[in-house]
Amino acid sequence: MNVDLHCHSNVSDGVLAPAALAQYAHQAGVNAWALTDHDEVGGIARARAAATDVRMRFVPGVEISITWAGHTVHIVGLQIDAGNAALVDGLAATRSGRDARGREISDQLAKVGIPGAYEGALKFVDNPDLMSRTHFARYLVECGACANLPEVFRKYLVEGKPGYVPHRWASLTQAVGWIQGAGGVAVIAHPGRYKLGLVGEGALFDEFKQLGGTAIEVVTGSHSPDQYQVYAEQARRYGFLASRGTDFHAPGESRVDFAALPPLPGNVTPVWHDWF
Ligand code: AMP
Ligand code: MN
Ligand code: MN
Ligand code: MN
């Protein structure tokens, strides 16, 4: 069974609408699928309906941006009730600073010779509440400042580069609380992407475990094949279940497409073990 529990529609920084994304995942062979837009659950009803139409199992999800020990970390919530009031309110608060941040990103880019980035990025935004660095990245490619998205993130938009605006997101406690309050399970997204060091990563895992966190992503489009084994080991060590998902954003743009992601290693328990 191909279970894919992490991807983005145009309700956040993906390019396909929720229904088109469901069809795309299904055609690529996915049998069980979660939509996990950044800080937004507005696509879930459409995604569920389209998944049901093609008889693909559907898991309602979200990817919450948090600030932990000064680092931006992403917490995926799965099997959430997308109508839960505390979750909905918490996500709205988390999203609320994005537009102002976008204007600041644009001001910084203007200072290094890239004018009009706010308006440029906005052309790629489908949900005005959810302006993401990805939308700026698409504009920087379109205007010829960079050749591709990875180059944009190397040269701009990341810590230490022009176009990076520090931002305070939700806390780990809030994110896990919102997810659990909505009946869901919390999963640390792509742990291999954070530059926490071994001690920092251990502290994050310990705190997440104490709060009742359930799983970590092991096989994700954001990990290298080496990291699949590293995080399978970490899942065993800390007693986490393992999740899997492409982190798909757009055809031809994401590092791994739905059909190309390997299965979970055999030595972990899938987060979906009692779902399907
Ligand atoms: P934001 O939530 O606005 O800070 O944007 C974060 C998003 O930027 C992530 O969800 C990815 O979609 C994208 N992103 C971050 N780093 C990279 C990278 N190195 N290459 C491509 N996309 C990236
Ligand atoms: Mn994204
Ligand atoms: Mn993420
Ligand atoms: Mn993601």
Side-chain angles (χ1 to χ4, degrees), residues 6 8 12-14 38-39 63 65 72 74 98 101 105 130-138 148-154 157-158 164-165 167 169 190 193 222 247-249 253:
H6 188 148
H8 298 274
S12 64
D13 60 352
H38 295 287
D39 308 323
E63 180 176 21
S65 313
T72 297
H74 288 169
R98 280 183 175 271
R101 167 186 179 243
I105 290 174
L130 214 295
M131 186 174 224
S132 151
R133 281 183 291 162
T134 311
H135 301 117
F136 281 91
R138 291 189 183 122
N148 51 50
L149 260 56
E151 187 188 334
V152 178
F153 281 94
R154 267 200 315 278
L157 309 186
V158 292
Y164 180 75
V165 174
H167 195 75
W169 303 104
H190 41 64
R193 252 174 57 179
S222 295
D247 206 352
F248 180 86
H249 284 73
E253 185 183 281

mmCIF file of all heavy atoms in Angstrom, residues 6 8 12-14 38-39 63 65 72 74 98 101 105 130-138 148-154 157-158 164-165 167 169 190 193 222 247-249 253, ligand 1:
data_model
loop_
_atom_site.group_PDB
_atom_site.id
_atom_site.type_symbol
_atom_site.label_atom_id
_atom_site.label_comp_id
_atom_site.label_asym_id
_atom_site.label_seq_id
_atom_site.Cartn_x
_atom_site.Cartn_y
_atom_site.Cartn_z
ATOM 1 N N HIS A 6 1.907 13.602 3.583
ATOM 2 C CA HIS A 6 2.423 14.973 3.653
ATOM 3 C C HIS A 6 2.436 15.585 2.255
ATOM 4 O O HIS A 6 3.236 15.172 1.412
ATOM 5 C CB HIS A 6 3.842 14.979 4.245
ATOM 6 C CG HIS A 6 4.389 16.346 4.541
ATOM 7 N ND1 HIS A 6 5.272 16.577 5.592
ATOM 8 C CD2 HIS A 6 4.196 17.547 3.941
ATOM 9 C CE1 HIS A 6 5.593 17.869 5.610
ATOM 10 N NE2 HIS A 6 4.965 18.473 4.604
ATOM 11 N N HIS A 8 1.041 19.434 -0.175
ATOM 12 C CA HIS A 8 0.501 20.802 -0.152
ATOM 13 C C HIS A 8 -0.319 21.134 -1.390
ATOM 14 O O HIS A 8 0.106 20.863 -2.515
ATOM 15 C CB HIS A 8 1.648 21.809 -0.032
ATOM 16 C CG HIS A 8 2.419 21.625 1.237
ATOM 17 N ND1 HIS A 8 2.048 22.213 2.415
ATOM 18 C CD2 HIS A 8 3.507 20.870 1.512
ATOM 19 C CE1 HIS A 8 2.878 21.846 3.369
ATOM 20 N NE2 HIS A 8 3.781 21.019 2.849
ATOM 21 N N SER A 12 -2.152 26.346 0.528
ATOM 22 C CA SER A 12 -0.916 26.906 1.099
ATOM 23 C C SER A 12 0.055 27.152 -0.052
ATOM 24 O O SER A 12 -0.267 27.935 -0.954
ATOM 25 C CB SER A 12 -0.345 26.030 2.222
ATOM 26 O OG SER A 12 0.064 24.757 1.770
ATOM 27 N N ASP A 13 1.211 26.499 -0.066
ATOM 28 C CA ASP A 13 2.198 26.842 -1.099
ATOM 29 C C ASP A 13 2.371 25.772 -2.168
ATOM 30 O O ASP A 13 3.367 25.774 -2.894
ATOM 31 C CB ASP A 13 3.547 27.232 -0.470
ATOM 32 C CG ASP A 13 4.145 26.121 0.370
ATOM 33 O OD1 ASP A 13 3.462 25.094 0.600
ATOM 34 O OD2 ASP A 13 5.301 26.275 0.818
ATOM 35 N N GLY A 14 1.394 24.857 -2.297
ATOM 36 C CA GLY A 14 1.369 23.976 -3.464
ATOM 37 C C GLY A 14 0.732 24.689 -4.641
ATOM 38 O O GLY A 14 0.209 25.799 -4.486
ATOM 39 N N HIS A 38 0.188 24.106 5.013
ATOM 40 C CA HIS A 38 0.804 24.908 6.077
ATOM 41 C C HIS A 38 -0.264 25.731 6.793
ATOM 42 O O HIS A 38 -0.956 26.557 6.166
ATOM 43 C CB HIS A 38 1.815 25.899 5.496
ATOM 44 C CG HIS A 38 3.005 25.272 4.839
ATOM 45 N ND1 HIS A 38 4.017 24.661 5.534
ATOM 46 C CD2 HIS A 38 3.361 25.179 3.526
ATOM 47 C CE1 HIS A 38 4.939 24.229 4.693
ATOM 48 N NE2 HIS A 38 4.564 24.515 3.457
ATOM 49 N N ASP A 39 -0.397 25.529 8.090
ATOM 50 C CA ASP A 39 -1.188 26.412 8.967
ATOM 51 C C ASP A 39 -2.612 26.648 8.452
ATOM 52 O O ASP A 39 -3.204 27.700 8.726
ATOM 53 C CB ASP A 39 -0.469 27.777 9.137
ATOM 54 C CG ASP A 39 0.976 27.628 9.580
ATOM 55 O OD1 ASP A 39 1.239 26.719 10.380
ATOM 56 O OD2 ASP A 39 1.852 28.393 9.105
ATOM 57 N N GLU A 63 0.086 21.049 8.529
ATOM 58 C CA GLU A 63 1.504 21.183 8.911
ATOM 59 C C GLU A 63 1.664 22.532 9.604
ATOM 60 O O GLU A 63 1.546 23.580 8.961
ATOM 61 C CB GLU A 63 2.419 21.093 7.678
ATOM 62 C CG GLU A 63 3.906 21.223 8.034
ATOM 63 C CD GLU A 63 4.848 21.043 6.850
ATOM 64 O OE1 GLU A 63 4.413 21.197 5.684
ATOM 65 O OE2 GLU A 63 6.034 20.755 7.105
ATOM 66 N N SER A 65 3.543 25.532 11.591
ATOM 67 C CA SER A 65 4.852 26.173 11.757
ATOM 68 C C SER A 65 5.027 26.541 13.222
ATOM 69 O O SER A 65 4.167 27.192 13.805
ATOM 70 C CB SER A 65 4.922 27.465 10.928
ATOM 71 O OG SER A 65 4.439 27.265 9.613
ATOM 72 N N THR A 72 12.873 27.345 13.395
ATOM 73 C CA THR A 72 11.569 27.028 12.806
ATOM 74 C C THR A 72 11.499 25.525 12.579
ATOM 75 O O THR A 72 12.391 24.927 11.965
ATOM 76 C CB THR A 72 11.375 27.777 11.475
ATOM 77 O OG1 THR A 72 11.372 29.187 11.741
ATOM 78 C CG2 THR A 72 10.034 27.406 10.831
ATOM 79 N N HIS A 74 8.527 22.205 11.844
ATOM 80 C CA HIS A 74 7.174 21.932 11.360
ATOM 81 C C HIS A 74 6.602 20.691 12.049
ATOM 82 O O HIS A 74 7.267 19.655 12.119
ATOM 83 C CB HIS A 74 7.180 21.725 9.837
ATOM 84 C CG HIS A 74 7.407 23.003 9.078
ATOM 85 N ND1 HIS A 74 7.667 23.047 7.741
ATOM 86 C CD2 HIS A 74 7.377 24.303 9.500
ATOM 87 C CE1 HIS A 74 7.801 24.312 7.351
ATOM 88 N NE2 HIS A 74 7.635 25.092 8.403
ATOM 89 N N ARG A 98 1.823 36.559 8.359
ATOM 90 C CA ARG A 98 2.488 36.216 7.097
ATOM 91 C C ARG A 98 2.518 37.361 6.085
ATOM 92 O O ARG A 98 3.503 37.527 5.364
ATOM 93 C CB ARG A 98 1.844 34.969 6.463
ATOM 94 C CG ARG A 98 2.315 33.663 7.077
ATOM 95 C CD ARG A 98 1.712 32.458 6.385
ATOM 96 N NE ARG A 98 2.242 31.200 6.891
ATOM 97 C CZ ARG A 98 3.336 30.593 6.406
ATOM 98 N NH1 ARG A 98 3.999 31.108 5.391
ATOM 99 N NH2 ARG A 98 3.754 29.459 6.936
ATOM 100 N N ARG A 101 5.129 39.922 7.112
ATOM 101 C CA ARG A 101 6.436 39.313 6.865
ATOM 102 C C ARG A 101 6.772 39.356 5.376
ATOM 103 O O ARG A 101 7.896 39.649 4.987
ATOM 104 C CB ARG A 101 6.411 37.874 7.375
ATOM 105 C CG ARG A 101 7.577 36.994 6.940
ATOM 106 C CD ARG A 101 7.246 35.610 7.436
ATOM 107 N NE ARG A 101 8.213 34.594 7.122
ATOM 108 C CZ ARG A 101 7.943 33.532 6.352
ATOM 109 N NH1 ARG A 101 6.766 33.401 5.764
ATOM 110 N NH2 ARG A 101 8.847 32.610 6.169
ATOM 111 N N ILE A 105 10.030 40.910 3.650
ATOM 112 C CA ILE A 105 10.893 40.139 2.741
ATOM 113 C C ILE A 105 11.115 40.956 1.464
ATOM 114 O O ILE A 105 12.242 41.096 0.971
ATOM 115 C CB ILE A 105 10.253 38.765 2.406
ATOM 116 C CG1 ILE A 105 10.255 37.849 3.626
ATOM 117 C CG2 ILE A 105 10.969 38.105 1.227
ATOM 118 C CD1 ILE A 105 9.511 36.508 3.439
ATOM 119 N N LEU A 130 -2.082 33.103 3.197
ATOM 120 C CA LEU A 130 -0.992 32.143 3.292
ATOM 121 C C LEU A 130 0.110 32.455 2.296
ATOM 122 O O LEU A 130 0.360 31.708 1.354
ATOM 123 C CB LEU A 130 -1.539 30.714 3.084
ATOM 124 C CG LEU A 130 -0.896 29.565 3.863
ATOM 125 C CD1 LEU A 130 0.562 29.373 3.429
ATOM 126 C CD2 LEU A 130 -0.938 29.790 5.378
ATOM 127 N N MET A 131 0.729 33.618 2.483
ATOM 128 C CA MET A 131 1.868 33.958 1.644
ATOM 129 C C MET A 131 3.093 33.270 2.235
ATOM 130 O O MET A 131 3.417 33.446 3.412
ATOM 131 C CB MET A 131 2.051 35.469 1.637
ATOM 132 C CG MET A 131 3.115 35.927 0.695
ATOM 133 S SD MET A 131 3.127 37.730 0.627
ATOM 134 C CE MET A 131 3.275 37.974 -1.119
ATOM 135 N N SER A 132 3.781 32.496 1.408
ATOM 136 C CA SER A 132 4.893 31.670 1.881
ATOM 137 C C SER A 132 6.175 32.070 1.156
ATOM 138 O O SER A 132 6.138 32.676 0.079
ATOM 139 C CB SER A 132 4.552 30.196 1.609
ATOM 140 O OG SER A 132 5.712 29.426 1.400
ATOM 141 N N ARG A 133 7.293 31.702 1.741
ATOM 142 C CA ARG A 133 8.569 31.946 1.051
ATOM 143 C C ARG A 133 8.587 31.254 -0.317
ATOM 144 O O ARG A 133 9.261 31.719 -1.240
ATOM 145 C CB ARG A 133 9.728 31.436 1.910
ATOM 146 C CG ARG A 133 10.108 32.376 3.033
ATOM 147 C CD ARG A 133 11.303 31.857 3.787
ATOM 148 N NE ARG A 133 10.984 30.662 4.540
ATOM 149 C CZ ARG A 133 11.870 29.793 5.017
ATOM 150 N NH1 ARG A 133 13.159 29.973 4.798
ATOM 151 N NH2 ARG A 133 11.475 28.742 5.695
ATOM 152 N N THR A 134 7.855 30.156 -0.441
ATOM 153 C CA THR A 134 7.803 29.449 -1.724
ATOM 154 C C THR A 134 7.265 30.359 -2.833
ATOM 155 O O THR A 134 7.730 30.292 -3.979
ATOM 156 C CB THR A 134 6.899 28.210 -1.603
ATOM 157 O OG1 THR A 134 7.297 27.479 -0.445
ATOM 158 C CG2 THR A 134 7.003 27.320 -2.822
ATOM 159 N N HIS A 135 6.278 31.202 -2.500
ATOM 160 C CA HIS A 135 5.722 32.115 -3.507
ATOM 161 C C HIS A 135 6.769 33.134 -3.945
ATOM 162 O O HIS A 135 6.859 33.477 -5.126
ATOM 163 C CB HIS A 135 4.471 32.809 -2.958
ATOM 164 C CG HIS A 135 3.387 31.838 -2.570
ATOM 165 N ND1 HIS A 135 2.930 31.710 -1.277
ATOM 166 C CD2 HIS A 135 2.703 30.929 -3.311
ATOM 167 C CE1 HIS A 135 1.990 30.766 -1.244
ATOM 168 N NE2 HIS A 135 1.834 30.277 -2.459
ATOM 169 N N PHE A 136 7.580 33.608 -2.998
ATOM 170 C CA PHE A 136 8.690 34.492 -3.370
ATOM 171 C C PHE A 136 9.692 33.741 -4.237
ATOM 172 O O PHE A 136 10.220 34.281 -5.216
ATOM 173 C CB PHE A 136 9.379 35.042 -2.108
ATOM 174 C CG PHE A 136 8.624 36.177 -1.476
ATOM 175 C CD1 PHE A 136 7.686 35.942 -0.494
ATOM 176 C CD2 PHE A 136 8.829 37.478 -1.903
ATOM 177 C CE1 PHE A 136 6.959 36.988 0.071
ATOM 178 C CE2 PHE A 136 8.109 38.534 -1.347
ATOM 179 C CZ PHE A 136 7.168 38.291 -0.357
ATOM 180 N N ALA A 137 9.952 32.506 -3.868
ATOM 181 C CA ALA A 137 10.926 31.717 -4.629
ATOM 182 C C ALA A 137 10.464 31.550 -6.082
ATOM 183 O O ALA A 137 11.259 31.692 -7.018
ATOM 184 C CB ALA A 137 11.119 30.355 -3.960
ATOM 185 N N ARG A 138 9.171 31.292 -6.268
ATOM 186 C CA ARG A 138 8.662 31.133 -7.644
ATOM 187 C C ARG A 138 8.812 32.441 -8.409
ATOM 188 O O ARG A 138 9.157 32.437 -9.599
ATOM 189 C CB ARG A 138 7.192 30.674 -7.612
ATOM 190 C CG ARG A 138 7.054 29.250 -7.082
ATOM 191 C CD ARG A 138 5.658 28.673 -7.241
ATOM 192 N NE ARG A 138 5.636 27.335 -6.638
ATOM 193 C CZ ARG A 138 4.819 26.956 -5.656
ATOM 194 N NH1 ARG A 138 3.908 27.771 -5.187
ATOM 195 N NH2 ARG A 138 4.908 25.737 -5.153
ATOM 196 N N ASN A 148 16.429 28.296 -10.262
ATOM 197 C CA ASN A 148 15.479 27.320 -9.716
ATOM 198 C C ASN A 148 15.254 27.572 -8.225
ATOM 199 O O ASN A 148 15.952 28.385 -7.611
ATOM 200 C CB ASN A 148 15.985 25.890 -9.962
ATOM 201 C CG ASN A 148 17.427 25.735 -9.492
ATOM 202 O OD1 ASN A 148 17.770 26.101 -8.372
ATOM 203 N ND2 ASN A 148 18.283 25.205 -10.361
ATOM 204 N N LEU A 149 14.297 26.850 -7.643
ATOM 205 C CA LEU A 149 13.939 27.086 -6.245
ATOM 206 C C LEU A 149 15.090 26.824 -5.260
ATOM 207 O O LEU A 149 15.329 27.651 -4.375
ATOM 208 C CB LEU A 149 12.698 26.261 -5.859
ATOM 209 C CG LEU A 149 11.385 27.043 -5.866
ATOM 210 C CD1 LEU A 149 11.094 27.706 -7.189
ATOM 211 C CD2 LEU A 149 10.225 26.158 -5.445
ATOM 212 N N PRO A 150 15.793 25.702 -5.376
ATOM 213 C CA PRO A 150 16.897 25.486 -4.431
ATOM 214 C C PRO A 150 17.910 26.636 -4.456
ATOM 215 O O PRO A 150 18.421 27.046 -3.404
ATOM 216 C CB PRO A 150 17.531 24.173 -4.920
ATOM 217 C CG PRO A 150 16.405 23.447 -5.587
ATOM 218 C CD PRO A 150 15.559 24.518 -6.223
ATOM 219 N N GLU A 151 18.175 27.186 -5.651
ATOM 220 C CA GLU A 151 19.111 28.321 -5.726
ATOM 221 C C GLU A 151 18.551 29.542 -4.983
ATOM 222 O O GLU A 151 19.292 30.245 -4.287
ATOM 223 C CB GLU A 151 19.393 28.673 -7.198
ATOM 224 C CG GLU A 151 20.484 29.730 -7.337
ATOM 225 C CD GLU A 151 20.648 30.247 -8.773
ATOM 226 O OE1 GLU A 151 20.319 29.511 -9.727
ATOM 227 O OE2 GLU A 151 21.093 31.402 -8.910
ATOM 228 N N VAL A 152 17.252 29.781 -5.124
ATOM 229 C CA VAL A 152 16.652 30.916 -4.400
ATOM 230 C C VAL A 152 16.882 30.753 -2.902
ATOM 231 O O VAL A 152 17.278 31.699 -2.215
ATOM 232 C CB VAL A 152 15.136 31.029 -4.658
ATOM 233 C CG1 VAL A 152 14.548 32.182 -3.849
ATOM 234 C CG2 VAL A 152 14.832 31.216 -6.139
ATOM 235 N N PHE A 153 16.613 29.539 -2.397
ATOM 236 C CA PHE A 153 16.747 29.325 -0.952
ATOM 237 C C PHE A 153 18.211 29.360 -0.521
ATOM 238 O O PHE A 153 18.508 29.740 0.605
ATOM 239 C CB PHE A 153 16.049 28.038 -0.516
ATOM 240 C CG PHE A 153 14.554 28.208 -0.391
ATOM 241 C CD1 PHE A 153 13.712 27.886 -1.448
ATOM 242 C CD2 PHE A 153 13.992 28.730 0.759
ATOM 243 C CE1 PHE A 153 12.332 28.061 -1.337
ATOM 244 C CE2 PHE A 153 12.622 28.921 0.881
ATOM 245 C CZ PHE A 153 11.790 28.581 -0.176
ATOM 246 N N ARG A 154 19.133 28.985 -1.385
ATOM 247 C CA ARG A 154 20.557 29.101 -1.037
ATOM 248 C C ARG A 154 20.982 30.550 -0.948
ATOM 249 O O ARG A 154 21.735 30.925 -0.054
ATOM 250 C CB ARG A 154 21.411 28.381 -2.098
ATOM 251 C CG ARG A 154 21.738 26.932 -1.762
ATOM 252 C CD ARG A 154 22.945 26.425 -2.546
ATOM 253 N NE ARG A 154 22.951 26.773 -3.964
ATOM 254 C CZ ARG A 154 22.277 26.103 -4.907
ATOM 255 N NH1 ARG A 154 21.543 25.060 -4.579
ATOM 256 N NH2 ARG A 154 22.353 26.484 -6.171
ATOM 257 N N LEU A 157 16.276 34.305 1.274
ATOM 258 C CA LEU A 157 15.154 33.694 2.024
ATOM 259 C C LEU A 157 15.539 32.772 3.174
ATOM 260 O O LEU A 157 14.668 32.286 3.886
ATOM 261 C CB LEU A 157 14.205 32.900 1.084
ATOM 262 C CG LEU A 157 13.671 33.597 -0.167
ATOM 263 C CD1 LEU A 157 12.652 32.693 -0.859
ATOM 264 C CD2 LEU A 157 13.039 34.939 0.152
ATOM 265 N N VAL A 158 16.826 32.444 3.352
ATOM 266 C CA VAL A 158 17.210 31.630 4.509
ATOM 267 C C VAL A 158 18.122 32.441 5.428
ATOM 268 O O VAL A 158 18.747 33.418 5.000
ATOM 269 C CB VAL A 158 17.904 30.299 4.117
ATOM 270 C CG1 VAL A 158 16.900 29.367 3.436
ATOM 271 C CG2 VAL A 158 19.122 30.534 3.239
ATOM 272 N N TYR A 164 15.700 37.139 4.263
ATOM 273 C CA TYR A 164 15.266 36.326 5.401
ATOM 274 C C TYR A 164 14.737 37.234 6.497
ATOM 275 O O TYR A 164 15.443 38.115 6.970
ATOM 276 C CB TYR A 164 16.395 35.462 5.954
ATOM 277 C CG TYR A 164 15.923 34.627 7.124
ATOM 278 C CD1 TYR A 164 15.132 33.511 6.917
ATOM 279 C CD2 TYR A 164 16.235 34.985 8.442
ATOM 280 C CE1 TYR A 164 14.662 32.753 7.981
ATOM 281 C CE2 TYR A 164 15.764 34.230 9.511
ATOM 282 C CZ TYR A 164 14.981 33.122 9.274
ATOM 283 O OH TYR A 164 14.510 32.386 10.331
ATOM 284 N N VAL A 165 13.509 37.014 6.878
ATOM 285 C CA VAL A 165 12.899 37.785 7.962
ATOM 286 C C VAL A 165 12.552 36.819 9.091
ATOM 287 O O VAL A 165 11.725 35.932 8.914
ATOM 288 C CB VAL A 165 11.623 38.514 7.467
ATOM 289 C CG1 VAL A 165 10.897 39.190 8.615
ATOM 290 C CG2 VAL A 165 11.993 39.526 6.385
ATOM 291 N N HIS A 167 10.861 35.125 12.160
ATOM 292 C CA HIS A 167 9.430 35.151 12.456
ATOM 293 C C HIS A 167 9.156 34.255 13.652
ATOM 294 O O HIS A 167 9.762 33.194 13.782
ATOM 295 C CB HIS A 167 8.645 34.654 11.231
ATOM 296 C CG HIS A 167 7.194 34.979 11.289
ATOM 297 N ND1 HIS A 167 6.705 36.242 11.073
ATOM 298 C CD2 HIS A 167 6.110 34.218 11.562
ATOM 299 C CE1 HIS A 167 5.392 36.248 11.190
ATOM 300 N NE2 HIS A 167 5.014 35.023 11.495
ATOM 301 N N TRP A 169 6.632 31.837 15.251
ATOM 302 C CA TRP A 169 5.444 31.034 14.955
ATOM 303 C C TRP A 169 4.823 30.550 16.259
ATOM 304 O O TRP A 169 5.126 31.076 17.321
ATOM 305 C CB TRP A 169 5.829 29.855 14.050
ATOM 306 C CG TRP A 169 6.484 30.244 12.757
ATOM 307 C CD1 TRP A 169 7.826 30.149 12.457
ATOM 308 C CD2 TRP A 169 5.863 30.788 11.580
ATOM 309 N NE1 TRP A 169 8.052 30.598 11.167
ATOM 310 C CE2 TRP A 169 6.880 30.988 10.614
ATOM 311 C CE3 TRP A 169 4.553 31.105 11.249
ATOM 312 C CZ2 TRP A 169 6.621 31.502 9.339
ATOM 313 C CZ3 TRP A 169 4.283 31.620 9.984
ATOM 314 C CH2 TRP A 169 5.305 31.813 9.042
ATOM 315 N N HIS A 190 9.879 16.108 8.663
ATOM 316 C CA HIS A 190 11.260 16.123 8.150
ATOM 317 C C HIS A 190 12.317 16.543 9.180
ATOM 318 O O HIS A 190 12.983 17.582 9.016
ATOM 319 C CB HIS A 190 11.361 17.020 6.907
ATOM 320 C CG HIS A 190 10.592 18.324 6.973
ATOM 321 N ND1 HIS A 190 10.887 19.310 7.883
ATOM 322 C CD2 HIS A 190 9.557 18.785 6.250
ATOM 323 C CE1 HIS A 190 10.066 20.331 7.707
ATOM 324 N NE2 HIS A 190 9.227 20.026 6.722
ATOM 325 N N ARG A 193 15.859 18.048 8.432
ATOM 326 C CA ARG A 193 16.087 19.368 7.832
ATOM 327 C C ARG A 193 16.520 20.430 8.830
ATOM 328 O O ARG A 193 16.999 21.484 8.435
ATOM 329 C CB ARG A 193 14.811 19.828 7.117
ATOM 330 C CG ARG A 193 14.990 19.782 5.618
ATOM 331 C CD ARG A 193 13.767 20.083 4.857
ATOM 332 N NE ARG A 193 13.161 21.369 5.141
ATOM 333 C CZ ARG A 193 12.059 21.793 4.513
ATOM 334 N NH1 ARG A 193 11.509 21.029 3.594
ATOM 335 N NH2 ARG A 193 11.532 22.941 4.796
ATOM 336 N N SER A 222 11.959 15.347 1.827
ATOM 337 C CA SER A 222 12.943 16.276 2.386
ATOM 338 C C SER A 222 14.148 15.563 2.986
ATOM 339 O O SER A 222 15.061 16.211 3.476
ATOM 340 C CB SER A 222 12.295 17.136 3.482
ATOM 341 O OG SER A 222 11.301 17.973 2.942
ATOM 342 N N ASP A 247 5.958 15.391 0.769
ATOM 343 C CA ASP A 247 6.051 16.852 0.904
ATOM 344 C C ASP A 247 5.948 17.492 -0.491
ATOM 345 O O ASP A 247 6.622 18.466 -0.818
ATOM 346 C CB ASP A 247 7.354 17.275 1.595
ATOM 347 C CG ASP A 247 7.230 18.623 2.294
ATOM 348 O OD1 ASP A 247 6.197 19.311 2.125
ATOM 349 O OD2 ASP A 247 8.193 18.999 2.994
ATOM 350 N N PHE A 248 5.062 16.910 -1.282
ATOM 351 C CA PHE A 248 4.859 17.356 -2.662
ATOM 352 C C PHE A 248 4.253 18.765 -2.689
ATOM 353 O O PHE A 248 3.350 19.070 -1.925
ATOM 354 C CB PHE A 248 3.892 16.370 -3.343
ATOM 355 C CG PHE A 248 3.569 16.686 -4.776
ATOM 356 C CD1 PHE A 248 4.400 16.242 -5.791
ATOM 357 C CD2 PHE A 248 2.445 17.423 -5.097
ATOM 358 C CE1 PHE A 248 4.106 16.533 -7.120
ATOM 359 C CE2 PHE A 248 2.140 17.717 -6.419
ATOM 360 C CZ PHE A 248 2.976 17.273 -7.428
ATOM 361 N N HIS A 249 4.776 19.619 -3.593
ATOM 362 C CA HIS A 249 4.239 20.979 -3.764
ATOM 363 C C HIS A 249 3.720 21.234 -5.175
ATOM 364 O O HIS A 249 2.758 21.969 -5.349
ATOM 365 C CB HIS A 249 5.292 22.043 -3.437
ATOM 366 C CG HIS A 249 5.533 22.245 -1.972
ATOM 367 N ND1 HIS A 249 6.209 21.329 -1.195
ATOM 368 C CD2 HIS A 249 5.183 23.258 -1.139
ATOM 369 C CE1 HIS A 249 6.266 21.781 0.059
ATOM 370 N NE2 HIS A 249 5.648 22.944 0.120
ATOM 371 N N GLU A 253 8.401 20.272 -9.597
ATOM 372 C CA GLU A 253 9.100 21.200 -8.695
ATOM 373 C C GLU A 253 9.638 20.476 -7.470
ATOM 374 O O GLU A 253 10.699 20.821 -6.960
ATOM 375 C CB GLU A 253 8.131 22.313 -8.267
ATOM 376 C CG GLU A 253 8.757 23.403 -7.418
ATOM 377 C CD GLU A 253 7.701 24.425 -6.969
ATOM 378 O OE1 GLU A 253 7.325 25.292 -7.785
ATOM 379 O OE2 GLU A 253 7.259 24.343 -5.817
HETATM 380 P P1 AMP B 1 7.448 29.619 5.040
HETATM 381 O O1 AMP B 1 6.477 28.763 5.801
HETATM 382 O O2 AMP B 1 6.791 30.786 4.372
HETATM 383 O O3 AMP B 1 8.638 30.027 5.850
HETATM 384 O O4 AMP B 1 7.985 28.752 3.823
HETATM 385 C C1 AMP B 1 8.532 27.494 4.036
HETATM 386 C C2 AMP B 1 8.437 26.709 2.744
HETATM 387 O O5 AMP B 1 9.494 27.073 1.884
HETATM 388 C C3 AMP B 1 8.603 25.227 2.965
HETATM 389 O O6 AMP B 1 7.392 24.624 3.307
HETATM 390 C C4 AMP B 1 9.050 24.768 1.598
HETATM 391 O O7 AMP B 1 7.929 24.626 0.762
HETATM 392 C C5 AMP B 1 9.851 25.941 1.100
HETATM 393 N N1 AMP B 1 11.310 25.714 1.275
HETATM 394 C C6 AMP B 1 12.051 25.942 2.379
HETATM 395 N N2 AMP B 1 13.354 25.646 2.140
HETATM 396 C C7 AMP B 1 13.416 25.224 0.859
HETATM 397 C C8 AMP B 1 14.468 24.781 -0.016
HETATM 398 N N3 AMP B 1 15.738 24.729 0.405
HETATM 399 N N4 AMP B 1 14.141 24.443 -1.292
HETATM 400 C C9 AMP B 1 12.864 24.519 -1.731
HETATM 401 N N5 AMP B 1 11.840 24.918 -0.960
HETATM 402 C C10 AMP B 1 12.104 25.270 0.303
#
